[in-house]
Amino acid sequence: MSNKVIHAIYNDDDILMDAVKKTRAAHHHIEEVFTPFPVHGLDKAMGLAPTRLAICSFIYGLCGLSFGTWMMNYIMIQDWPQDIGGKPSFSYIENMPSFVPIMFEETVFFAAHLMVITFYMRSRLWPFKEAENPDVRTTDDHFLMEVSVNNNEKELVSFFENTGAVEVKVIEKH
Amino acid sequence: MYTFSSKLKTFSLILMAVGLLGIGYGFISAPKNIQEVETILASDAHGSHEVFNTSSDAHVVSGENKVSADAEHKEHLEHVLNQLQNKPWSALYVACIFFMLISLGVLAFYAIQQVAQAGWSPVLFRVMQGITAYLPVGSVIFFVILIFCGLHFNNLFIWLDPNVVAEDKIIANKTSFLNFPFWIVRAAVFLIGWNLYRYFSRKNCLAQDEAKDDSFYKKNFKMSAGFLVFFIVTESIMSWDWIMSIDPHWFSTLFGWYVFASFFVSAITTICLTTLYLKSKGYLEHVNTSHIHDLAKFMFGFSVFWTYLWFSQFMLIWYANIPEEVTYFVTRIQVYNLPFFGAVVMNFVFPILILINTDFKRITWVLVMAGSVILFGHYIDFFNMIMPGTVGDHWFIGVSEIGSVFFFLGLFIYVVFTALTKAPLLPKRNPFIEESKHFHY
């Protein structure tokens, strides 16, 4: 079975948005949309599920808070409870205020960095990764919608020509 | 146009009446003289008083010490009498300054929105103006209370008592700033300044509705910028004058910001709750969940900001532990333990866990619940700032405290919702009103 896709190319984000809505209404499956910049509302128009990165970040923050608390408790209270300048090292709570800056920074550090790493992993980004760019113009001033073809090539081509596309190509994908 | 629902009007009037009864009861039940204090102390002979009694009994054995022990006992009774007499006054003072500063905070928020040319908030301007209508009323009552303090009806500000100043070198050295005439003139200047801005800003805003060009809008823009400069200076001095000077031996440099954060977040919460109420009654056609979401973000952000300042002030003093500074927190932790740390839970832990969720920031009942906790928490915050210096360990949230809050809450609701009926709830010719109507996030 051949693996054909349509590449419909647009040069305006408003026209792209309209085309996405029409394509969704006509029940054609959008594989991917490539844009040079974030188009506000595109994810909603495409019907993409909302991201859960913020939830991850919150959990990472809790991990950081726990780590900071555990670390300061182990070092300052359990392992070697010295009298340093009269600070009360008898229990964690008694000396808690001086640990808050560390606990706070650990929380932010974990939340931020682990969330970024999660983002890289989920979106498969790393150095030396081969760029998956179907058309170099999509990084500059063109928008590209990729739609899969299921034995309805002619119908699809004429459909996209009517959506204001400046170029419609049928591509064999490997 | 908004019409003041008769239910809400009755509710506010009942609150005022109940509040007045509570305030009156508080003043009547306060002890008049030392004899009454002695019977009060005898009837609840526990804790520190019992310790005091046994130590004075020990003195009786050696006859020559009896006189000094009696004098000491009398001094103690006078001290307690002072604190008990201060109790209804402090309750009144805390509630009065709290509600006045809420409307001042709304005024500051309103001025910031104008100067920042915010595109989302013009649909809420009339709500904010309605809330600031309490400022003139609150200012007058507050100023009268300050004059009562100066006329020695109470001992809220011990530096106003010449006998104290004569014996206290630290206070005596501060008399060039802390003296009644200068203090009351400062208060008058601040209150008049804020009220003038409020008056002219609203006047121009209403005139802009009927105008042919944007000149009134531009006037308001310039006036708001000027007000914000005036505000930040007067706000800082106001917090020294009206709150920090309750403890005239103590000082803190970030106190002004701390007080500001406390009433500013309460003010934003009040805007949010009022907006939600009016929206639920169908009066704010163009306010959508995105506007509410923005207000909720401000509530969240400034709750954290308040906590940041609370902790910065506490931790710096705790860490260095310098005796002349640290007594402030020693009293609060030992005598006001629950309200002191309870305020942090209500103003930080609760909002950060509830309002961090984007979806929750659009749900009315979540915001009403979080908002109520924040407002109550910041009342407790003002309680913690003022009570330890005036009533010490005789604090209690009883009839006079609740009565005072009821009275000012009733007055606040009455004044604010009366003001809301005076003008249409949507400004007509504000340059940003179209953007604001279609704001979505």
Side-chain angles (χ1 to χ4, degrees), chain B residues 366-427:
Chain B
V366 172
L367 288 180
V368 170
M369 180 185 63
S372 311
V373 172
I374 290 175
L375 283 179
F376 185 57
H378 284 282
Y379 169 76
I380 296 292
D381 186 32
F382 274 86
F383 187 87
N384 287 336
M385 287 192 261
I386 289 162
M387 286 292 178
T390 55
V391 304
D393 54 353
H394 297 283
W395 71 275
F396 189 67
I397 298 193
V399 177
S400 50
E401 283 79 7
I402 295 171
S404 302
V405 171
F406 276 12
F407 173 74
F408 284 105
L409 179 63
L411 186 67
F412 188 82
I413 293 173
Y414 186 81
V415 173
V416 167
F417 286 89
T418 306
L420 285 171
T421 61
K422 299 280 166 62
L425 288 178
L426 188 71

Side-chain angles (χ1 to χ4, degrees), chain B residues 224-273:
Chain B
S224 302
F227 166 74
L228 285 173
V229 176
F230 177 77
F231 170 77
I232 206 59
V233 175
T234 53
E235 191 275 333
S236 197
I237 303 175
M238 166 277 277
S239 69
W240 312 333
D241 275 0
W242 301 342
I243 302 177
M244 199 157 78
S245 79
I246 299 252
D247 301 277
H249 287 184
W250 181 80
F251 50 85
S252 163
T253 36
L254 61 70
F255 196 73
W257 277 109
Y258 172 68
V259 173
F260 167 75
S262 190
F263 72 76
F264 199 60
V265 64
S266 311
I268 294 164
T269 307
T270 310
I271 298 174
C272 187
L273 294 183

Side-chain angles (χ1 to χ4, degrees), chain A residues 40 58 87-88 94-98 100-101, chain B residues 311 314-315 318-321 352-353 356 440:
Chain A
H40 185 72
F58 185 78
K87 284 281 163 286
E94 274 181 288
N95 211 357
M96 212 269 289
S98 50
V100 165
Chain B
F311 183 72
F314 171 72
M315 198 263 247
W318 173 86
Y319 207 102
N321 206 20
I352 203 173
L353 291 178
I356 200 164
H440 77 104

